[in-house]
Amino acid sequence: MNLDQIFEKIVILYEDDELLAIDKPSGLVVHSDGRTDEPSVADWLERVRPEIKDVGEPWTRPDGTTLHRPGIVHRIDRETSGVLLICKTQDLFLRMKEKFKKREVGKSYLAFLYGELRTNEGVIDRPIAKSRKDFRLWSAQPGGRGEMREAATEYRVIERGSGFTYVEARPKTGRTHQIRVHFKAINYPIVGDRLYAPKREMALGFKRLALHAAKISFTLENKGAMVIEAPIPDDFQRAEAAMTGRTGESVA
């Protein structure tokens, strides 16, 4: 798949003179990590919104070259689809950065889990640190490497059946891989998670991580309360239909 085909999958959900919100497709990184050469949302932005190239906080690599991250104020994982906010002015970038820091931005994710959760709703309140076993991973188990940082994720079961659970997850903190790590910690990892459930087979028709950033909400002084939602992906709809066909128990 060439660059144009990848970028054609990016859908603009909202745009005004300060803010851009997109539906990021699964498989696309938000910005380069400086180690790999692959297409990114940052590359797309430099092509379609070149005027915001210098908005945000560029990163200088150890070799001295600069990587631009135009307007990008938060991230979602490569394999996660859904809502991503981009700031078009430095003023909004700084305001939104502060809102994320103060936890004034609400985030709602959808996920399919291996196993059937027993409770219909709850809170996973477990601190997260780097894993001692694998530098790529984070852990919510005792004995992590470095500082254990507080982390909490609320969840609500949408549907369960045939050994799977469909949930809405609302992270109250913003730790790396938080939702993936928390559901792994309670022994219900996310379907298709090659990092945190590498021995599990793909299921429910998924060919990627079954995690979708469905909604983001916040308030701006000059715009009032804002809620931006991304459509439910086709593979999520097919997976839910498959669960329903297996007489899954809906609790929504």
Side-chain angles (χ1 to χ4, degrees):
M1 188 177 295
N2 63 38
L3 202 62
D4 289 330
Q5 289 174 317
I6 293 171
F7 288 167
E8 281 176 3
K9 293 186 176 183
I10 297 175
V11 175
I12 293 176
L13 300 171
Y14 173 86
E15 186 170 16
D16 60 26
D17 57 346
E18 290 185 303
L19 180 67
L20 173 65
I22 65 169
D23 185 359
K24 186 192 81 67
S26 173
L28 182 66
V29 295
V30 174
H31 57 71
S32 172
D33 59 6
R35 298 189 298 269
T36 58
D37 183 18
E38 60 181 304
S40 68
V41 173
D43 294 331
W44 175 78
L45 286 167
E46 290 199 20
R47 174 184 292 189
V48 303
R49 298 292 183 276
E51 67 275 11
I52 69 169
K53 178 180 179 180
D54 295 323
V55 173
E57 296 174 344
W59 178 58
T60 302
R61 299 170 58 179
D63 64 5
T65 59
T66 298
L67 292 177
H68 290 280
R69 299 183 288 191
I72 295 170
V73 72
H74 71 121
R75 291 177 57 189
I76 53 179
D77 294 340
R78 175 194 278 105
E79 293 304 313
T80 303
S81 55
V83 183
L84 182 73
L85 300 180
I86 295 115
C87 300
K88 297 171 67 176
T89 68
Q90 190 68 14
D91 175 68
L92 181 63
F93 176 84
L94 295 174
R95 285 188 285 148
M96 288 302 302
K97 181 180 177 181
E98 190 68 13
K99 287 183 181 296
F100 276 101
K101 182 179 179 180
K102 292 181 177 180
R103 302 175 187 172
E104 295 176 353
V105 179
K107 293 167 284 184
S108 172
Y109 289 75
L110 299 175
F112 285 87
L113 313 177
Y114 294 107
E116 296 186 26
L117 276 167
R118 296 179 181 178
T119 54
N120 289 340
E121 57 184 26
V123 179
I124 306 170
D125 191 354
R126 297 194 182 196
I128 290 175
K130 290 292 289 183
S131 169
R132 289 188 178 276
K133 297 179 180 179
D134 189 328
F135 73 93
R136 301 172 302 164
L137 306 183
W138 295 79
S139 174
Q141 304 291 355
R145 178 164 54 88
E147 179 187 0
M148 297 291 290
R149 304 179 70 187
E150 66 166 323
T153 303
E154 296 178 350
Y155 68 84
R156 175 183 66 88
V157 171
I158 299 170
E159 190 167 8
R160 61 167 71 84
S162 297
F164 301 96
T165 307
Y166 185 25
V167 298
E168 177 194 16
R170 299 180 300 276
K172 311 313 289 183
T173 47
R175 308 305 178 204
T176 301
H177 294 178
Q178 178 174 315
I179 296 173
R180 301 165 69 179
V181 171
H182 269 169
F183 282 118
K184 167 70 172 180
I186 64 170
N187 299 314
Y188 294 92
I190 297 176
V191 169
D193 197 331
R194 297 178 179 90
L195 273 179
Y196 293 97
K199 296 181 180 180
R200 302 267 192 159
E201 293 185 1
M202 285 289 185
L204 298 173
F206 281 104
K207 297 180 180 179
R208 53 101 166 192
L209 177 71
L211 184 61
H212 178 64
K215 180 168 63 176
I216 195 163
S217 58
F218 52 95
T219 299
L220 291 175
E221 294 75 7
N222 57 332
K223 292 182 174 67
M226 300 190 69
V227 178
I228 300 173
E229 298 186 60
I232 298 175
D234 290 344
D235 52 1
F236 270 64
Q237 295 184 51
R238 288 192 295 267
E240 184 178 16
M243 289 183 68
T244 302
R246 294 172 186 145
T247 65
E249 174 192 352
S250 177
V251 295

